[in-house]
Each structure stands twice: as C-alpha cells, then as structure tokens.
C-alpha cells in the first residue's frame, strides 16, 4: 500500500519553515504498514496543485495533503480540490459551530466574527468532514477516482490530532494493509564503512524482503533493518533474528537496540540503574538540557543544571574559582573540570556533564579559535575532559558539542557499568 | 529562474529524519533570485530517481539533488545519475586524495582504507567535481540537457559548505538571475483574520508582482511580502513602501520588521537598550535558554540561568522557599513568582523569565492537569505571572510555554519602554 504526501505552501518553498509534518506523518503511516512513495512540496498555485495531485494519484493509493487551508487569500487548497474533483462547496454546520465556539472562547463574544472565518466552514460537497478540535479549518476525506485523498491543515498540532484521532483509524479500517517491520540499532563511536565491513557477511545473507540501511550522524551510525511481508509475527521474528546477529557482532558500539536518540538511550540506561544527572552548560546554552527534558520521565534521572553563560554565573552557580577563570580563561580544561565537579557537588547528582567553548562566530582567538570546546563528564570516581575542535558554524558547534558530550557520557556510563 | 530540490533517501520517507536541508537550500536559492518550484523526497530506488529527475527537469532549470552518496550499498544516486546521463564512471584523483587525507587524519594511517572508501572518488565522467571539505563524498555539477544538475551529500554540514563555497557562487556566475525581494513583518498577539481585516485595503492595492502571505504560529503571525521583478533597487523600494504601510497600520503588534524569530527580536531590542536577561526554567528544561543562545551575540544580553528541574535545584539555585514549594506545589503562581524574582536577584540581570508547569504525559492531577503552566516575566519594577493551560502533548507544551514566555517578555519590554 503506497501513499504520497503533498505539502502546499510557499513558506516551505522559500525556506521560511522546515517541513516537520511530513516526517511525522511518514512515521505514523509506516507504523501501520503504509509506505510513502514520495513527499512533494508545492506552491500555493492552482495549476501546480492540480498537477501534483494527478502525479501523486498516478503513483499511490492514498494522498495526504497538508496546508493551504487558512482563512486568507493565499490559501487556495480547498478551492483547487473542488476544481480537481469537479464539485462545488457546501456549508458544514458542525464546522461552522466549531469556528463559532473557538471564536467565542477566544474573544468572549461572537461579535466581530468575520466572513472569512465563516468561510472556513465551507467544504467541497463530495468530502467527509474531519472536525478540527484544535483550530478553525476542518479536514476533508475524499473517496474519489479509486483513491483516498485527505486534506488537513498545515499547522502541526492541528494535523497531528487529526491524524491520530481520525485519519489513522479510518485508514486502518478502510484498507487491507501489508506489514512493514523496522528495527533500528544505534551505534556510537565507529564509522559507517567500518561497521559495514564488520557485518558484510550478515548483510549479504539478508533475504530480498529485508533491507539494511546505514544512517550516519556525527559519531553515531544507525543501522536500520526493514522487512516487508504479510505475516507480522513471522516477519518481526525474522527481522529480529538478523538484528540480533548484528548486535552480537558489533556489541561494543551498540548504545540502543531501538530507534531512539542517544540522550534517550542514556536516560533509559540511567533510569534502569537508578543513576542521576546534572548539567553545566556554557556554549551549548541549554541545548543539552532540553535534549534530555524533551523526553517523558526525564525528571527521574535529570535534576537540572546551570546555563552558566556568563563568567559570573559560572562562579555563582557552579563555584568555579575566579582565579581559574582569570588564569586559564573560561574556555579551558581547568574551567571545564571545575564546572563538572561543581555540578556534581552543588546539584548532588551521581553524574554530570559540563561544556565550555567558543560557539562563534565571534570570540575566537589565535590560540583558541571559534569551534574550540572543552567537554567534561564525571561521576564521583572519575572526571574525563576532552578538547574538541569544530568549525566556524555556531549551530553546528553547539550540536556537535552536545552529541560529543552525550557520546562521552554514554561511554563513561558503560565503562563504569563494566568496572562496577 | 526555477529550481527543484530532490532529496534521495528512504530515511526521510519512513520519517526517521526531518528534511532540514531543503528549507535551508530553498532559503539560500531565494536569496539569489532562484525560485523553488517543487521539493520532492524520493526513495533510494533507481526507477523512482530517474522519474523524479525527468519530472524536475521538465519543470525547472536547476535541479539540486541531495543524498544517496554514502559508501554503502543502499546509496545508488551516483550510479543512477550515470544511467540518466548515459555515461560511465571515472576516478577523480583529487577526490581520492581527499578520502585518503580524511582517513589518515581520523585513523593516523592509511592501513585499513577500504575499497568502498576508494569508490567514493569515482564520479560520472560528464561531471565537474565539487570537492567535499567536510566529508568523503564529492559533489557533482552537470551541465546536461540544457539544465544544471548538482548532486550533493545529504549530510547537512557537508551540503551547506558545498552550497556556500561552490554551488551558490557557480550558479550566480552561470545564470542571469531575476530578482526576488522578500520582506517579513513579525507580529505578536493578534489573530490572522483580524490582521487581514485591518490591512485589507493595503492588500487589495498590491500590484500583481507583489504578493502577501500570512504565516501564523502560536500567537504570532508573520506577514510576508514577496516582490518579483528585474530592477533590484526599485523592487526593494516598492516592497518596502507597502511594508511600511502595513507596519504603520498594525504598529501595536509589530515585534520585528524582518524575518527573525521572536527571541532574536527580543535580543536585538534588549541589546540596543543595554538590557540583560536571565532565565529560570523548570518544565521547559533548557528549551528557552537554547532558543536565545543559538543566536550569535546572545551573550551581550543573556547571562544564563538555571534549569531547575527538581525542587531541590529550585531552592539551591533560585532560592525558592521550601515552604512555598510545600504549600503551593512546584507548579503554582507563588513558585513561578519566587523563581523569576530569584533569577533577578541571584543572576543580577535586569529582566528574567521563569516557567514552571506539567509538560506531561505524567504528573498531572485533577486540579493541575498536564498542560498547566505558570509563566512569569519580571524586571525590578514589575512581575507578571500568567497561568496557561495547554494540551497533553509534551513537546507542544514545552514549545507553547516557550513562545508564550517570549511573547510575554516582548510585551513587558515594549510596555516598559513606553512607560520609561
């Protein structure tokens, strides 16, 4: 069963927003056994939308469309869908009630409700309306031309609720779905081609309906096995058997046996062992903390920490010595060490991370150019500090510092686990 | 001048990664007057890639391709490009030197260099090689079929350097480019349809070559004017005149007169006035801090703060009273107030933000359900605390709390500016 996603809106094509919807939708669809053939982003242009609908319908059975449903003039998806299906618009009373309820809740009155707001309740006459619990634009489900078309708002949380509450259940009940099983192994600390060499014979032995992909990213490589078939239990077992062979082969670099980011693997590991963590961030400025705290249950492991951006806060919050800052500078092995040990001491966690560096683009010197970062990880027994040198891109320096810190903590945890 | 972007790789289509490359590339291309007609994500499948190339070349003059250039078996872009152009592969010595240099740098030896690594230096014989300064896979530039095709790695920082250093300059020198001028106005605190109503006459008066788009997001609406023409200076002036009319009309809700996020608008405003900021985050867990610190020069305004996830850290870092925590709970108006005032006092900034809430999915009660958040903003003269109630999605609760806090700080700053 194949689907395509069409996102409509100039804002994606001029690079003003990143299309996060498609990845989320693709993930949800894959979970129920629907493969995405293509994702296309097209402009708020009548002819372009019509062509994209035609091309997608020529390749796939399910076409999911997001965007272009707002109340303003640049939003033409609904009108264009009417043209595509050769139908007119009708008023949907439930959608109008919803528009009025939202308006009433936000403004405390219906006075001032605009004609464009009311128009949001107009829908193509051949659609089944999917009510929007989080906004004014209704979703629309079409059974036409032997295909399923679904049009949803581009606002992520409106689309997500609609998918979870209505579209996914309706797809499951409307279609006979094949089975796709993905199994991902997260590895840390070995390059893609080395991994490939180590598991070459396992890869060569894979049957045609199981594929292996390498997804490398900053010191990590995800190995993803994808199996396609009909019998879910059998396929799962088969994919898992190959996964176990790979895991055994490269056990020394496996950080997780599922598709989770490294910080989640760390949280799970620490939670399982009752370990606790705090963080002292300078150049990463809260980035590492929010990586951890985006995950439910982070509070069982993560106490918190200091975003000690200024030197003064390094002293106040972490107890870094004024002398150390003066003698070695904020970006130094010595300060990183005092930061991580200050975090352990002041925040009373079992493990700590500290990062201090020059993210750039300013602040570099000949001796310490932009991209110079000191990362420390520690527990009560051991402090490890590394100097790393990245490039001159701020965002990248922050992200790489974070990933490096996580990789270091992961190694410290597993080494400590082995020793202890 | 039209371009298309094709991203190749199953990892996007199964939703494992978000395609951030395309938005970045689209933004860069728009800046030099190249419009993106369509962005397509296709699978690592020979026939699908060939079809996508054909479709894109039928619509656009420049086709930028990312992904599928890794050393492993699932990466087939290069082979497929050879087939598309009907050419064979040749060894590029400079690319091989590059592979060997990177290998030598990482491993300290050339021993162990694999055949698959060497194969990265093979390129289609009709391409101009774009050397990769950050990885082993070279980029490729093709002048074929009256079009320009460029194939680059999918790893974001490799692609970015290649675009900045080679592809953009080469496109500028190869093409006669039209002019596109975008001008964006960031508004905070008024709904899309209300804004549309207030500026309806200005919108109606726009000439055909200037378009207005509304980009709403969580309490903010971006108004984007896009002008298409030939004379850059004239077009800029024209777009700016319409922008000024809009800005004057809705002045009370304008947070920035350029396309920047709200936290950057705040940083710029505070920097201009010599104001300083610290942050105390509980449920947002570092998210707000990293929003600020992702921007160069944040340290001129932002001192840092505490990610006080546990109650104990609220006491240690912010001086929140144990009694207050016990009596009202960590998620309360009283604790938010003590957090924000503790941040002002301990971190010695002129302004502070504090957030405490229940991000979920666990931790909610009947009285304080998941999504309950208290946000405080303060300066020495004034503390404002708001209770907000969001939904049950953790990520969304964190992001909405952050945006709400930023909107509140923006209002406090501008109100204080007016009063002071």
């Amino acid at each position: 069963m194949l689907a395509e996603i069409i996102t409509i809106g100039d804002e994606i094509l001029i690079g003003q927003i990143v299309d996060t919807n498609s990845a989320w939708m693709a993930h949800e669809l894959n979970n129920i056994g629907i493969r995405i053939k293509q994702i296309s982003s097209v402009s708020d242009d009548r002819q372009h939308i019509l062509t994209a609908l035609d091309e997608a319908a020529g390749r796939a059975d399910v076409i999911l469309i997001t965007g272009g449903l707002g109340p303003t003039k640049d939003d033409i998806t609904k009108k264009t869908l009417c043209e595509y299906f050769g139908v007119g618009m009708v008023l949907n009373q439930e959608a109008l009630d919803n528009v009025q309820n939202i308006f009433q809740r936000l403004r405390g009155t219906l006075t001032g409700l605009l004609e464009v707001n009311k128009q949001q309740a107009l829908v193509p006459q051949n659609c089944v309306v999917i009510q929007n619990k989080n906004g004014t634009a209704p979703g629309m489900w079409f059974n036409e031309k032997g295909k399923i078309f679904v049009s949803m708002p581009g606002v992520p949380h409106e689309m997500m609720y609609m998918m979870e509450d209505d579209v996914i259940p309706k797809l499951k009940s409307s279609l006979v779905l094949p089975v796709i099983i993905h199994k991902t192994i997260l590895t840390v600390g070995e390059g893609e081609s080395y991994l490939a060499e180590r598991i070459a014979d396992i890869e060569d032995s894979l049957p045609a309906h199981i594929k292996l992909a390498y997804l490398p990213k900053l010191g990590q490589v995800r190995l993803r096995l994808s199996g396609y078939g009909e019998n879910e239990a059998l396929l799962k077992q088969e994919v898992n058997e190959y996964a176990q062979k790979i895991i055994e082969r490269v056990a020394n670099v496996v950080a997780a046996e599922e598709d989770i980011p490294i910080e989640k693997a760390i949280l799970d590991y620490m939670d399982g062992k009752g370990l606790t963590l705090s963080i002292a961030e300078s150049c990463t400025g809260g980035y590492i903390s929010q990586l951890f705290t985006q995950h439910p249950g982070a509070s069982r492991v993560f106490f918190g920490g200091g975003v000690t951006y200024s030197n003064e806060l390094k002293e106040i919050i972490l107890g870094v010595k004024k002398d150390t800052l003066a003698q070695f500078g904020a970006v130094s092995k010595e300060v990183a060490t005092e930061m991580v040990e200050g975090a352990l001491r002041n925040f009373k966690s079992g493990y700590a991370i500290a990062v201090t560096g020059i993210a750039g683009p300013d602040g570099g010197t000949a001796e310490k150019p932009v991209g110079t970062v000191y990362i420390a990880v520690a527990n009560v027994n051991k402090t490890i500090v590394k100097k790393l040198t990245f490039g001159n891109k701020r965002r990248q320096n922050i992200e790489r510092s974070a990933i490096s810190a996580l990789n270091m903590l992961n190694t410290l945890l597993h080494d400590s686990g082995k020793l202890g």
Side-chain angles (χ1 to χ4, degrees), chain A:
Chain A
M1 188 61 57
L2 292 177
E4 296 223 353
I5 296 171
I6 301 174
T7 69
I8 298 174
D10 291 338
E11 59 272 27
I12 291 175
L13 296 174
I14 69 162
Q16 194 153 21
I17 62 165
V18 170
D19 171 25
T20 52
N21 282 351
S22 295
W24 187 88
M25 291 165 77
H27 193 263
E28 296 301 301
L29 290 170
N30 262 273
N31 276 346
I32 60 165
I34 297 179
R35 281 171 63 191
I36 307 298
K37 179 75 180 169
Q38 181 164 327
I39 299 167
S40 311
S41 294
V42 305
S43 58
D44 290 309
D45 172 275
R46 179 190 145 273
Q47 188 54 55
H48 196 188
I49 296 171
L50 292 173
T51 307
L53 287 169
D54 247 355
E55 284 178 358
R59 286 182 297 245
D61 313 292
V62 177
I63 297 94
L64 299 179
I65 305 146
T66 62
L69 296 181
T72 50
K73 294 183 189 178
D74 54 319
D75 292 312
I76 59 163
T77 299
K78 217 156 56 178
K79 210 164 59 184
T80 310
L81 284 169
C82 280
E83 182 179 347
Y84 184 66
F85 295 124
V87 299
M89 297 249 216
V90 292
L91 182 83
N92 182 272
Q93 186 57 45
E94 205 182 333
L96 182 60
D97 292 346
N98 181 45
V99 169
Q100 290 176 335
N101 285 342
I102 289 176
F103 195 90
Q104 175 87 40
R105 205 174 64 213
L106 291 177
R107 302 267 170 176
T109 169
L110 276 178
T111 315
L113 184 71
L114 304 175
E115 195 48 45
V116 288
N117 298 125
K118 290 184 195 156
Q119 280 169 13
Q120 299 225 272
L122 290 176
V123 298
Q125 61 189 62
N126 62 333
C127 81
V128 176
V129 172
I130 303 167
Q131 298 301 335
N132 186 342
K133 291 167 195 136
N134 296 281
T136 49
M140 293 159 277
W141 175 291
F142 303 87
N143 289 300
E144 288 281 345
K145 309 182 181 197
K147 314 272 175 178
I148 292 168
F149 297 78
V150 184
S151 167
M152 289 173 283
V155 181
H157 68 276
E158 296 182 20
M159 176 279 292
M160 286 179 187
Y161 283 114
M162 238 177 236
M163 283 283 287
E164 286 177 351
D165 291 357
D166 291 288
V167 178
I168 293 285
K170 211 160 143 69
L171 286 171
K172 277 162 106 170
S173 65
S174 312
L175 302 166
V176 181
L177 296 170
V179 175
I180 305 179
I181 299 288
H182 297 295
K183 169 84 184 171
T184 299
I185 303 158
L186 170 65
T187 71
V188 172
E190 186 141 65
E192 182 180 0
S193 38
Y194 268 80
L195 280 171
E197 188 80 356
R198 286 176 71 186
I199 60 174
D201 58 319
I202 303 174
E203 186 170 2
D204 286 337
S205 73
L206 290 174
H209 66 284
I210 299 182
K211 291 183 168 194
L212 175 64
Y214 295 78
L215 311 169
K217 192 181 169 192
L218 300 177
Q220 303 171 3
V221 179
R222 281 179 170 69
L223 303 172
R224 190 194 64 228
L225 286 164
S226 305
Y228 304 88
E230 271 156 37
N231 183 322
E232 180 167 356
L234 218 65
L235 187 62
K236 197 170 232 166
Q237 192 192 327
E238 202 182 8
V239 169
N240 273 334
E241 278 168 14
Y242 285 104
Q244 284 310 316
K245 281 187 196 174
I246 294 174
I247 289 166
E248 276 167 36
R249 183 72 60 80
V250 297
N252 64 319
V253 293
V254 171
E257 299 182 14
E258 53 185 320
D259 186 16
I260 53 176
I262 179 72
E263 75 276 3
K264 180 74 169 81
I266 289 172
L267 281 177
D268 290 348
Y269 181 87
M270 294 184 79
D271 193 18
K273 295 200 180 273
L275 302 172
T276 58
L277 177 68
S278 67
I279 305 182
E281 301 191 63
S282 185
C283 68
T284 46
Y287 186 82
I288 303 178
S289 297
Q290 63 90 34
L291 285 180
F292 282 109
T293 57
Q294 73 183 308
H295 299 289
S299 60
R300 284 196 298 276
V301 169
F302 182 59
F303 285 173
V307 179
T308 56
Y309 219 53
S310 68
N311 281 355
E312 207 174 2
L313 286 204
K314 290 183 184 70
E315 297 173 40
I316 295 172
I317 297 181
L318 300 168
V320 173
K321 294 191 205 88
K322 201 182 279 292
D323 281 357
T324 314
L325 284 162
Q327 191 179 344
F328 301 102
V331 179
S332 62
K333 187 179 171 181
E334 290 75 11
V335 167
T337 306
E338 289 191 17
M339 283 173 73
V340 81
E341 291 173 358
L344 282 184
R345 187 178 58 241
N346 293 357
F347 307 150
K348 296 165 189 165
S349 58
Y351 282 76
I353 294 173
V355 183
T356 179
I358 304 155
D362 306 318
T365 63
E367 199 198 341
K368 292 175 187 172
V370 167
T372 305
V373 179
Y374 288 87
I375 301 175
V377 295
N379 59 20
V380 279
N381 300 315
K382 198 169 184 180
T383 298
I384 298 167
V385 190
K386 266 194 195 168
K387 179 186 178 180
L388 294 166
T389 311
F390 301 120
N392 59 3
K393 306 260 180 210
R394 183 181 182 84
R395 186 76 203 169
Q396 194 178 310
N397 288 338
I398 292 172
E399 287 176 8
R400 290 184 151 201
S401 299
I403 293 287
S404 302
L406 295 171
N407 292 353
M408 281 171 68
L409 178 61
N410 184 67
T411 303
L412 177 63
L413 282 165
H414 288 277
D415 286 354
S416 304
K418 271 178 233 148
L419 297 171

